[in-house]
Amino acid sequence: MRFPDGHEEIAAGRIGVLLVNLGTPDGTDYWSMRRYLKEFLSDRRVVEAPRLIWWPVLNGIILSTRPQKSGALYDKVWNTERNESPLRTITRSQGEKLGADLARTDPRIIVDWAMRYGNPSIAEKLDALTAAGAERLLIVPLYPQYSAATTATVNDKAFEALSQMRWQPAVRTAPPYHDDPAYIEALAASTKKHLAALDFEPDIVLASFHGIPKSYFEKGDPYHCQCQKTVRLLREVLGWGPEKLMVTFQSRFGREEWLKPYTDETVARLAREGVRKMAVIMPGFAADCLETLEEIAGENAEIFEENGGEHFAALPCLNDSEEGMAVIKAVVLRELSGWI
């Protein structure tokens, strides 16, 4: 804090910033995957089916067969040097870089990171921040577009942990940033940079977002609208039309209808229709993970080639790049207004 006479004083109370991403298993073995999947798929915001129907399916079928399959997929992208998922590696780096940067802005600020599912947990990190003297906390769900199955469940878990505290800090939660100019500009800059590095020019670019069941949208979830707005704004900056940059949705699960068009079906259709060069960006992911590195860069690349495509590129997410960190910093500083 700078006073009118020019001298500075650091307030006693510290300010905690907690970045939260979706989650990660601790390992690719059966039991690690089972623990992770059980926590994730037991969340009532993720799966809204009645418990009497869902519980036998989850515990009797999915948790018996899915851990092996998911573990094999994680093995393909696992960071063997650190023995952890790419999502954990990147989220840690985002937290460390932001912490070092904001410490120069205001020494009271301390930054940490957590996972909604798996480790490190939100409760663990909230305890650590308050133990370090944080009297004010900003919870930052790393989801540009809001969904009850992502942003809301992070906030649910954070307030569940806070409900157990005798002395609660003051708390803010960061809203989605799907139309924030810093985010749109970063997406445009990153897209242009990575396209320029390719040895081909794509005929079409897909903006692939993680899907949600269509029923969630019909109940009022704004996710679909925010994804569409992100791409509309990105098209304006890039000077592209809908025929150049298309919106699709990936990672559907189960038999229920999800948001359409589906990424994998679109990739196959376009290849059959004569598209030979394609790139995919994934604006809804703040960090590369299984869904980007294996599902898009692996599975969908194969689908494209099997249907006649020749050149396919999955462009990196913003991650902890200069563009990515600029977005996170802009969101955090905006939400800390009045505290620093």
Side-chain angles (χ1 to χ4, degrees):
M1 180 186 300
R2 184 176 294 275
F3 289 85
D5 63 4
H7 82 278
E8 294 184 357
E9 178 178 309
I10 298 175
R14 305 192 75 183
I15 301 167
V17 176
L18 186 64
L19 307 181
V20 186
N21 218 317
L22 189 134
T24 175
D26 293 323
T28 62
D29 59 282
Y30 173 83
W31 290 109
S32 294
M33 291 303 313
R34 182 184 171 94
R35 284 194 301 273
Y36 171 69
L37 290 171
K38 184 171 185 178
E39 183 182 11
F40 177 46
L41 297 175
S42 295
D43 190 332
R44 290 178 180 270
R45 285 199 185 269
V46 173
V47 181
E48 297 184 3
R51 299 294 97 171
L52 286 177
I53 297 174
W54 177 241
W55 227 238
V57 174
L58 175 62
N59 291 283
I61 301 174
I62 294 175
L63 293 180
S64 297
T65 60
R66 187 80 177 181
Q68 298 97 322
K69 296 177 182 177
S70 294
L73 296 177
Y74 268 99
D75 274 330
K76 296 180 180 180
V77 301
W78 201 250
N79 181 344
T80 54
E81 182 179 348
R82 284 182 174 266
N83 190 28
E84 63 186 18
S85 72
L87 184 65
R88 181 179 288 166
T89 302
I90 297 167
T91 307
R92 177 193 295 109
S93 180
Q94 290 170 327
E96 291 174 350
K97 287 185 176 182
L98 183 67
D101 192 357
L102 293 186
R104 294 189 290 269
T105 301
D106 189 328
R108 295 174 300 165
I109 300 175
I110 45 178
V111 178
D112 213 333
W113 58 280
M115 297 291 172
R116 170 58 184 89
Y117 310 102
N119 296 303
S121 71
I122 293 173
E124 172 192 342
K125 292 299 187 168
L126 289 180
D127 284 342
L129 286 169
T130 54
E135 295 179 1
R136 302 181 185 191
L137 287 175
L138 173 64
I139 311 298
V140 186
L142 290 174
Y143 308 110
Q145 295 78 24
Y146 176 96
S147 174
T150 54
T151 310
T153 191
V154 166
N155 294 336
D156 286 348
K157 203 65 177 178
F159 281 98
E160 178 184 300
L162 289 163
S163 72
Q164 303 303 309
M165 294 183 183
R166 170 67 63 180
W167 184 8
Q168 287 184 340
V171 179
R172 293 177 178 175
T173 61
Y177 50 95
H178 64 285
D179 58 356
D180 190 294
Y183 167 62
I184 301 301
E185 290 167 10
L187 286 178
S190 179
T191 299
K192 288 189 286 188
K193 178 177 71 175
H194 291 295
L195 286 178
L198 298 178
D199 59 1
F200 67 93
E201 182 177 350
D203 302 317
I204 195 166
V205 178
L206 300 186
S208 181
F209 293 87
H210 199 293
I212 61 171
K214 183 180 178 182
S215 61
Y216 296 9
F217 166 67
E218 292 171 340
K219 293 174 184 176
D221 198 300
Y223 180 73
H224 179 267
C225 299
Q226 293 187 1
C227 292
Q228 296 288 349
K229 186 173 185 182
T230 292
V231 175
R232 176 174 60 79
L233 294 173
L234 181 57
R235 287 185 187 125
E236 291 176 2
V237 175
L238 292 173
W240 295 354
E243 72 285 349
K244 176 69 173 181
L245 181 60
M246 294 178 57
V247 177
T248 61
F249 296 92
Q250 64 181 87
S251 309
R252 65 189 184 278
F253 176 80
R255 298 179 180 178
E256 185 176 355
E257 182 179 356
W258 284 43
L259 296 180
K260 291 181 176 180
Y262 299 143
T263 299
D264 55 354
E265 292 183 357
T266 303
V267 167
R269 177 180 61 80
L270 290 173
R272 290 194 299 267
E273 291 176 355
V275 173
R276 293 293 172 260
K277 294 174 286 186
M278 176 183 291
V280 183
I281 61 172
M282 292 142 284
F285 296 87
D288 275 304
C289 56
L290 183 71
E291 286 79 7
T292 66
L293 299 172
E294 199 286 323
E295 182 181 354
I296 298 299
E299 292 179 21
N300 278 269
E302 292 178 4
I303 291 171
F304 187 62
E305 293 172 2
E306 289 169 356
N307 286 275
E310 298 173 359
H311 300 282
F312 183 96
L315 305 190
C317 295
L318 292 176
N319 295 323
D320 59 347
S321 66
E322 182 178 346
E323 298 92 347
M325 295 311 304
V327 175
I328 298 174
K329 181 180 179 180
V331 170
V332 168
L333 288 179
R334 181 190 67 204
E335 298 308 315
L336 289 181
S337 176
W339 281 4
I340 61 174

